[in-house]
Each structure stands twice: as C-alpha cells, then as structure tokens.
Amino acid sequence: MAELPPILTIKDAAQYLRRCTKTVERRIRFGQIKSYKEGREHRIRREWLLEYEESLIRKGEAL
C-alpha cells in the first residue's frame, strides 16, 4: 500500500498493519482502534490507524 487513503476498511487496515482482519476487528471491539460504522461495515480514519500504530511504538519503547 503506497499511500493510505483518508478512510480505510478493516481489510485495508489489516494489510497496512500486516495482520489478519480478525485481529483488526478484535482491536476495534476492545477499543484499541477507533472506528465508525457505515451501514454494517466499519470504517477507520487514517489518523486513527496512525494513532494506534504510534501507541504500539510507544509501548515498545517502554520495554
């Protein structure tokens, strides 16, 4: 994925994070990744995904 679009699907987010879609769905359910629903589908703003990624980096620095 060259550049992240402004709004991502769960599949897009999973590809970016190199995780399966079930992992992204679980992290949304537990409130680790912010999202909103458009119909039955979750959408994730690019900023929210990058915030989540940054939180992972900060956790790694604390170890």
Side-chain angles (χ1 to χ4, degrees):
M1 196 176 287
E3 186 177 318
L4 284 175
I7 305 297
L8 295 95
T9 64
I10 287 177
K11 184 178 177 183
D12 294 335
Q15 287 176 337
Y16 176 76
L17 295 172
R18 296 182 184 215
R19 298 289 176 253
C20 70
T21 56
K22 293 290 183 195
T23 298
V24 174
E25 289 170 356
R26 191 176 318 111
R27 292 183 180 163
I28 288 170
R29 192 172 344 113
F30 293 141
Q32 296 171 308
I33 298 175
K34 293 185 220 174
S35 73
Y36 65 92
K37 287 189 102 173
E38 184 177 303
R40 300 173 95 184
E41 301 288 324
H42 282 274
R43 297 288 184 251
I44 304 164
R45 293 178 56 120
R46 173 179 45 216
E47 299 83 38
W48 297 342
L49 188 63
L50 296 176
E51 285 172 11
Y52 170 72
E53 182 182 42
E54 184 64 31
S55 75
L56 294 176
I57 292 168
R58 283 193 304 272
K59 279 184 191 176
E61 291 173 352
L63 296 177

Coordinates of all heavy atoms in Angstrom, one line a residue:
M1 N 0.9 -1.2 0.0 CA 0.0 0.0 0.0 C 0.9 1.2 0.0 O 1.6 1.5 1.0 CB -0.9 0.0 1.2 CG -2.1 0.9 1.1 SD -3.2 0.7 2.5 CE -4.0 -0.8 2.2
A2 N 0.9 2.0 -1.1 CA 1.8 3.1 -1.2 C 1.5 4.2 -0.3 O 2.3 4.7 0.5 CB 1.8 3.6 -2.7
E3 N 0.2 4.7 -0.4 CA -0.2 5.8 0.5 C -1.6 5.4 1.1 O -2.4 4.9 0.4 CB -0.3 7.1 -0.3 CG -0.7 8.3 0.5 CD -0.7 9.5 -0.4 OE1 0.2 9.7 -1.2 OE2 -1.6 10.3 -0.1
L4 N -1.7 5.7 2.4 CA -3.0 5.4 3.0 C -4.1 6.3 2.5 O -3.9 7.5 2.6 CB -2.9 5.5 4.5 CG -2.1 4.4 5.2 CD1 -2.0 4.7 6.7 CD2 -2.9 3.1 5.1
P5 N -5.3 5.8 2.2 CA -6.4 6.7 1.8 C -6.9 7.3 3.1 O -6.6 6.8 4.2 CB -7.4 5.7 1.2 CG -7.1 4.4 1.8 CD -5.6 4.4 2.0
P6 N -7.7 8.3 3.0 CA -8.3 9.0 4.2 C -9.2 8.1 5.0 O -9.2 8.2 6.3 CB -9.1 10.2 3.6 CG -8.7 10.3 2.2 CD -8.1 9.0 1.8
I7 N -9.9 7.2 4.4 CA -10.8 6.3 5.1 C -10.4 4.9 4.7 O -10.3 4.6 3.5 CB -12.3 6.6 4.8 CG1 -12.6 8.0 5.0 CG2 -13.2 5.6 5.5 CD1 -12.5 8.4 6.5
L8 N -10.3 4.0 5.7 CA -9.9 2.6 5.4 C -10.9 1.6 5.8 O -11.7 1.9 6.8 CB -8.6 2.3 6.2 CG -7.3 3.0 5.8 CD1 -7.1 4.2 6.7 CD2 -6.1 2.1 5.8
T9 N -11.0 0.5 5.1 CA -11.8 -0.6 5.6 C -11.0 -1.4 6.5 O -9.8 -1.2 6.7 CB -12.2 -1.5 4.3 OG1 -11.0 -2.0 3.8 CG2 -13.0 -0.7 3.3
I10 N -11.6 -2.4 7.1 CA -10.9 -3.3 8.0 C -9.8 -4.1 7.2 O -8.7 -4.2 7.7 CB -11.9 -4.3 8.7 CG1 -12.6 -3.6 9.8 CG2 -11.1 -5.5 9.3 CD1 -13.7 -4.4 10.5
K11 N -10.1 -4.4 6.0 CA -9.2 -5.1 5.1 C -8.0 -4.2 4.8 O -6.8 -4.7 4.9 CB -9.8 -5.6 3.8 CG -8.9 -6.4 2.9 CD -9.7 -6.8 1.7 CE -8.7 -7.6 0.8 NZ -9.4 -8.0 -0.5
D12 N -8.2 -3.0 4.5 CA -7.1 -2.0 4.3 C -6.2 -1.9 5.5 O -5.0 -1.9 5.4 CB -7.7 -0.6 3.9 CG -8.4 -0.5 2.6 OD1 -8.2 -1.4 1.7 OD2 -9.3 0.4 2.5
A13 N -6.8 -1.7 6.7 CA -6.1 -1.6 7.9 C -5.3 -2.8 8.2 O -4.1 -2.7 8.6 CB -7.0 -1.3 9.1
A14 N -5.9 -4.0 8.0 CA -5.2 -5.3 8.2 C -3.9 -5.4 7.3 O -2.9 -5.8 7.7 CB -6.1 -6.4 8.0
Q15 N -4.1 -5.0 6.0 CA -3.0 -5.1 5.1 C -1.9 -4.1 5.5 O -0.7 -4.5 5.5 CB -3.4 -4.7 3.7 CG -4.3 -5.8 3.0 CD -4.8 -5.4 1.7 OE1 -4.9 -4.2 1.3 NE2 -5.1 -6.4 0.8
Y16 N -2.2 -2.9 6.0 CA -1.2 -1.9 6.4 C -0.5 -2.4 7.6 O 0.7 -2.3 7.7 CB -1.9 -0.6 6.7 CG -0.9 0.4 7.3 CD1 0.0 1.1 6.4 CD2 -0.9 0.7 8.6 CE1 0.9 2.0 6.9 CE2 0.0 1.6 9.1 CZ 0.9 2.3 8.3 OH 1.8 3.2 8.8
L17 N -1.2 -3.0 8.6 CA -0.6 -3.5 9.8 C 0.0 -4.9 9.7 O 0.7 -5.3 10.6 CB -1.7 -3.5 10.9 CG -2.2 -2.2 11.4 CD1 -3.4 -2.4 12.3 CD2 -1.2 -1.3 12.0
R18 N -0.2 -5.5 8.5 CA 0.2 -6.9 8.3 C -0.3 -7.8 9.3 O 0.4 -8.6 9.9 CB 1.8 -6.9 8.2 CG 2.3 -6.1 7.0 CD 3.7 -6.2 6.9 NE 4.1 -5.3 5.8 CZ 5.1 -5.6 5.0 NH1 5.8 -6.7 5.1 NH2 5.4 -4.7 4.0
R19 N -1.6 -7.7 9.6 CA -2.3 -8.6 10.5 C -3.6 -9.1 9.8 O -3.9 -8.5 8.7 CB -2.8 -7.8 11.8 CG -1.6 -7.3 12.6 CD -0.9 -8.4 13.3 NE 0.2 -8.0 14.0 CZ 1.5 -8.2 13.6 NH1 1.7 -8.8 12.5 NH2 2.5 -7.8 14.4
C20 N -4.2 -10.1 10.3 CA -5.4 -10.6 9.7 C -6.6 -9.7 10.1 O -6.5 -8.9 11.0 CB -5.7 -12.1 10.1 SG -6.2 -12.3 11.8
T21 N -7.7 -9.8 9.3 CA -8.8 -8.9 9.5 C -9.5 -9.2 10.9 O -10.0 -8.3 11.5 CB -9.9 -9.1 8.4 OG1 -10.2 -10.5 8.3 CG2 -9.3 -8.6 7.1
K22 N -9.4 -10.5 11.3 CA -10.0 -10.8 12.6 C -9.3 -10.1 13.8 O -9.9 -9.7 14.7 CB -9.9 -12.3 12.9 CG -10.8 -13.1 11.9 CD -12.2 -12.9 12.3 CE -13.1 -13.7 11.4 NZ -14.5 -13.3 11.4
T23 N -8.0 -9.9 13.6 CA -7.2 -9.2 14.6 C -7.6 -7.7 14.7 O -7.8 -7.2 15.8 CB -5.7 -9.3 14.3 OG1 -5.3 -10.7 14.4 CG2 -4.9 -8.5 15.3
V24 N -7.8 -7.1 13.5 CA -8.2 -5.7 13.5 C -9.6 -5.6 14.0 O -9.9 -4.7 14.8 CB -8.2 -5.2 12.0 CG1 -8.8 -3.8 11.9 CG2 -6.7 -5.2 11.5
E25 N -10.5 -6.5 13.7 CA -11.9 -6.5 14.2 C -11.9 -6.6 15.8 O -12.6 -5.9 16.4 CB -12.7 -7.7 13.7 CG -13.1 -7.5 12.2 CD -13.7 -8.7 11.6 OE1 -13.7 -9.8 12.3 OE2 -14.0 -8.7 10.4
R26 N -11.0 -7.5 16.3 CA -10.9 -7.6 17.7 C -10.4 -6.4 18.4 O -10.9 -5.9 19.4 CB -10.0 -8.8 18.0 CG -10.0 -9.3 19.4 CD -9.1 -10.5 19.7 NE -9.2 -11.5 18.6 CZ -8.2 -11.8 17.8 NH1 -7.0 -11.2 17.8 NH2 -8.4 -12.8 16.9
R27 N -9.4 -5.7 17.8 CA -8.9 -4.5 18.4 C -9.9 -3.4 18.3 O -9.9 -2.5 19.2 CB -7.6 -4.2 17.7 CG -6.5 -5.2 18.1 CD -5.2 -5.0 17.6 NE -4.3 -6.1 18.1 CZ -3.1 -6.4 17.5 NH1 -2.7 -5.7 16.6 NH2 -2.5 -7.4 18.0
I28 N -10.7 -3.3 17.3 CA -11.8 -2.4 17.2 C -12.8 -2.7 18.4 O -13.2 -1.8 19.1 CB -12.5 -2.4 15.9 CG1 -11.6 -1.8 14.8 CG2 -13.9 -1.7 15.9 CD1 -12.1 -2.0 13.4
R29 N -13.2 -3.9 18.5 CA -14.1 -4.3 19.6 C -13.6 -3.9 21.0 O -14.4 -3.5 21.8 CB -14.4 -5.8 19.5 CG -15.6 -6.3 20.3 CD -16.0 -7.7 20.0 NE -15.4 -8.4 18.8 CZ -14.5 -9.4 18.9 NH1 -14.1 -9.9 20.0 NH2 -14.1 -9.9 17.7
F30 N -12.3 -4.1 21.2 CA -11.8 -3.8 22.5 C -11.4 -2.3 22.7 O -10.9 -1.9 23.7 CB -10.5 -4.6 22.8 CG -10.9 -6.1 23.0 CD1 -10.0 -7.1 22.4 CD2 -12.0 -6.5 23.6 CE1 -10.3 -8.4 22.6 CE2 -12.3 -7.9 23.8 CZ -11.4 -8.8 23.3
G31 N -11.7 -1.5 21.6 CA -11.5 -0.1 21.7 C -10.0 0.4 21.5 O -9.7 1.5 21.8
Q32 N -9.2 -0.5 21.0 CA -7.8 -0.2 20.7 C -7.6 0.6 19.4 O -6.7 1.4 19.3 CB -6.9 -1.4 20.7 CG -6.9 -2.2 22.0 CD -6.2 -3.5 21.9 OE1 -6.6 -4.3 21.0 NE2 -5.3 -3.8 22.7
I33 N -8.5 0.3 18.5 CA -8.5 1.1 17.2 C -9.9 1.7 17.1 O -10.9 1.1 17.2 CB -8.3 0.2 16.0 CG1 -6.9 -0.5 16.1 CG2 -8.4 1.0 14.7 CD1 -6.7 -1.5 15.0
K34 N -9.9 3.1 16.9 CA -11.2 3.8 16.7 C -11.8 3.5 15.4 O -11.0 3.3 14.4 CB -11.0 5.3 16.9 CG -10.5 5.8 18.2 CD -10.5 7.3 18.2 CE -9.3 7.8 18.9 NZ -9.2 9.3 18.8
S35 N -13.1 3.4 15.3 CA -13.8 3.3 14.0 C -15.2 3.8 14.1 O -15.6 4.1 15.2 CB -13.8 1.8 13.6 OG -14.7 1.1 14.4
Y36 N -15.8 3.9 13.0 CA -17.3 4.2 12.9 C -17.9 3.2 11.9 O -17.2 2.6 11.2 CB -17.5 5.6 12.6 CG -17.1 6.0 11.2 CD1 -18.0 6.0 10.1 CD2 -15.8 6.5 10.9 CE1 -17.6 6.3 8.8 CE2 -15.4 6.9 9.6 CZ -16.3 6.8 8.6 OH -15.9 7.1 7.3
K37 N -19.2 3.1 12.0 CA -19.9 2.2 11.2 C -20.6 2.9 10.1 O -21.2 3.9 10.3 CB -20.9 1.3 11.9 CG -20.2 0.3 12.8 CD -21.1 -0.7 13.3 CE -21.1 -2.0 12.5 NZ -21.9 -3.1 13.1
E38 N -20.4 2.4 8.9 CA -21.2 3.0 7.7 C -22.0 1.8 7.2 O -21.5 0.8 6.6 CB -20.2 3.4 6.6 CG -20.9 4.0 5.4 CD -19.9 4.6 4.4 OE1 -19.0 5.4 4.8 OE2 -19.9 4.1 3.3
G39 N -23.3 1.8 7.6 CA -24.1 0.6 7.4 C -23.6 -0.5 8.3 O -23.6 -0.3 9.5
R40 N -23.2 -1.6 7.7 CA -22.8 -2.7 8.5 C -21.2 -2.8 8.6 O -20.7 -3.7 9.3 CB -23.3 -4.0 8.0 CG -24.8 -4.1 8.0 CD -25.4 -5.3 7.3 NE -25.6 -6.3 8.3 CZ -26.0 -7.5 8.0 NH1 -26.2 -7.9 6.8 NH2 -26.3 -8.4 9.0
E41 N -20.6 -2.0 7.9 CA -19.1 -2.0 7.7 C -18.4 -1.0 8.6 O -18.9 0.2 8.7 CB -18.7 -1.7 6.3 CG -19.3 -2.7 5.3 CD -18.7 -4.1 5.4 OE1 -17.5 -4.2 5.6 OE2 -19.4 -5.1 5.2
H42 N -17.3 -1.4 9.2 CA -16.5 -0.4 10.0 C -15.6 0.4 9.0 O -15.1 -0.2 8.0 CB -15.6 -1.2 11.0 CG -16.3 -1.7 12.2 ND1 -16.5 -0.9 13.3 CD2 -16.9 -2.8 12.5 CE1 -17.2 -1.6 14.2 NE2 -17.4 -2.8 13.7
R43 N -15.4 1.6 9.4 CA -14.5 2.5 8.6 C -13.5 3.1 9.7 O -13.9 3.4 10.8 CB -15.2 3.6 7.9 CG -16.2 3.1 6.9 CD -15.5 2.6 5.7 NE -16.4 2.2 4.6 CZ -16.6 1.0 4.2 NH1 -16.1 0.0 4.9 NH2 -17.4 0.7 3.3
I44 N -12.3 3.2 9.2 CA -11.2 3.7 10.1 C -10.6 4.9 9.4 O -10.1 4.8 8.3 CB -10.2 2.6 10.4 CG1 -10.9 1.4 11.0 CG2 -9.1 3.1 11.3 CD1 -10.0 0.1 10.9
R45 N -10.6 6.0 10.1 CA -9.9 7.2 9.6 C -8.4 6.9 9.6 O -7.9 6.3 10.5 CB -10.2 8.4 10.4 CG -11.7 8.9 10.2 CD -12.0 10.1 11.1 NE -11.1 11.1 10.7 CZ -11.4 12.3 10.2 NH1 -12.7 12.6 10.1 NH2 -10.5 13.2 9.9
R46 N -7.7 7.4 8.6 CA -6.2 7.3 8.5 C -5.6 7.7 9.8 O -4.7 7.0 10.3 CB -5.7 8.1 7.3 CG -4.2 8.1 7.2 CD -3.7 8.9 6.0 NE -4.4 10.1 5.9 CZ -4.7 10.6 4.7 NH1 -4.4 10.0 3.6 NH2 -5.3 11.8 4.6
E47 N -6.0 8.9 10.4 CA -5.4 9.4 11.6 C -5.5 8.4 12.8 O -4.6 8.3 13.6 CB -6.0 10.7 12.0 CG -5.9 11.8 11.0 CD -6.9 11.7 9.9 OE1 -8.1 11.4 10.1 OE2 -6.6 12.0 8.7
W48 N -6.7 7.8 12.9 CA -6.9 6.8 14.0 C -6.0 5.6 13.9 O -5.5 5.1 14.9 CB -8.4 6.4 14.0 CG -9.3 7.5 14.2 CD1 -9.1 8.7 14.8 CD2 -10.7 7.5 14.0 NE1 -10.2 9.5 14.9 CE2 -11.3 8.7 14.4 CE3 -11.6 6.5 13.4 CZ2 -12.6 9.0 14.2 CZ3 -12.9 6.8 13.3 CH2 -13.4 8.1 13.7
L49 N -5.8 5.1 12.6 CA -4.9 4.0 12.5 C -3.5 4.4 12.8 O -2.8 3.6 13.5 CB -5.0 3.4 11.0 CG -4.3 2.1 10.8 CD1 -4.9 1.0 11.7 CD2 -4.3 1.7 9.4
L50 N -3.1 5.6 12.4 CA -1.7 6.0 12.7 C -1.5 6.3 14.2 O -0.4 6.0 14.7 CB -1.4 7.2 11.8 CG -1.3 7.0 10.3 CD1 -1.1 8.3 9.6 CD2 -0.3 5.9 10.0
E51 N -2.6 6.7 14.9 CA -2.5 6.9 16.3 C -2.3 5.6 17.0 O -1.5 5.4 17.9 CB -3.8 7.5 16.8 CG -3.9 9.0 16.6 CD -5.3 9.5 17.0 OE1 -6.1 8.8 17.6 OE2 -5.6 10.7 16.6
Y52 N -3.0 4.5 16.5 CA -2.9 3.2 17.1 C -1.5 2.7 16.8 O -0.8 2.2 17.8 CB -3.9 2.3 16.4 CG -3.7 0.8 16.8 CD1 -3.9 0.3 18.1 CD2 -3.1 -0.1 15.9 CE1 -3.7 -1.0 18.4 CE2 -2.9 -1.4 16.2 CZ -3.1 -1.8 17.5 OH -2.9 -3.1 17.8
E53 N -1.0 2.9 15.6 CA 0.4 2.4 15.3 C 1.4 3.2 16.2 O 2.3 2.5 16.8 CB 0.7 2.7 13.9 CG 2.1 2.2 13.4 CD 2.4 2.6 12.0 OE1 2.1 3.7 11.5 OE2 3.0 1.7 11.3
E54 N 1.2 4.4 16.5 CA 2.1 5.2 17.3 C 2.0 4.7 18.8 O 3.1 4.6 19.4 CB 1.7 6.7 17.3 CG 2.6 7.6 18.1 CD 4.1 7.6 17.6 OE1 4.3 7.5 16.3 OE2 5.0 7.8 18.4
S55 N 0.9 4.3 19.2 CA 0.7 3.8 20.6 C 1.5 2.5 20.7 O 2.1 2.2 21.8 CB -0.7 3.6 21.0 OG -1.3 2.4 20.3
L56 N 1.5 1.7 19.7 CA 2.3 0.4 19.7 C 3.8 0.7 19.8 O 4.6 0.1 20.5 CB 2.0 -0.4 18.4 CG 0.6 -1.0 18.3 CD1 0.5 -1.7 17.0 CD2 0.3 -1.9 19.4
I57 N 4.2 1.7 19.0 CA 5.6 2.1 19.0 C 6.0 2.6 20.4 O 7.1 2.2 21.0 CB 5.9 3.2 18.0 CG1 5.7 2.6 16.6 CG2 7.3 3.8 18.1 CD1 5.7 3.6 15.4
R58 N 5.2 3.5 21.1 CA 5.5 4.0 22.4 C 5.6 2.8 23.4 O 6.4 2.8 24.3 CB 4.4 5.0 22.8 CG 4.6 6.3 22.2 CD 3.8 7.4 22.9 NE 2.4 7.1 22.9 CZ 1.5 7.4 22.0 NH1 1.8 8.0 20.9 NH2 0.2 7.0 22.1
K59 N 4.7 1.8 23.3 CA 4.7 0.7 24.2 C 6.0 -0.1 24.0 O 6.6 -0.5 25.0 CB 3.6 -0.3 23.9 CG 2.3 0.1 24.5 CD 1.2 -1.0 24.2 CE -0.2 -0.6 24.6 NZ -1.1 -1.6 24.2
G60 N 6.5 -0.2 22.8 CA 7.7 -0.9 22.5 C 8.9 -0.2 23.1 O 9.9 -0.8 23.6
E61 N 8.9 1.2 23.1 CA 10.0 2.0 23.7 C 10.1 1.8 25.2 O 11.1 1.9 25.8 CB 9.8 3.4 23.3 CG 10.0 3.7 21.8 CD 9.7 5.1 21.4 OE1 9.2 5.9 22.2 OE2 10.0 5.4 20.3
A62 N 8.9 1.5 25.8 CA 8.8 1.4 27.2 C 9.4 0.1 27.7 O 9.7 0.0 28.9 CB 7.4 1.6 27.7
L63 N 9.5 -0.9 26.9 CA 10.0 -2.2 27.3 C 11.5 -2.2 27.6 O 12.3 -1.5 27.1 CB 9.7 -3.2 26.2 CG 8.2 -3.5 26.0 CD1 8.0 -4.5 24.9 CD2 7.5 -4.0 27.3

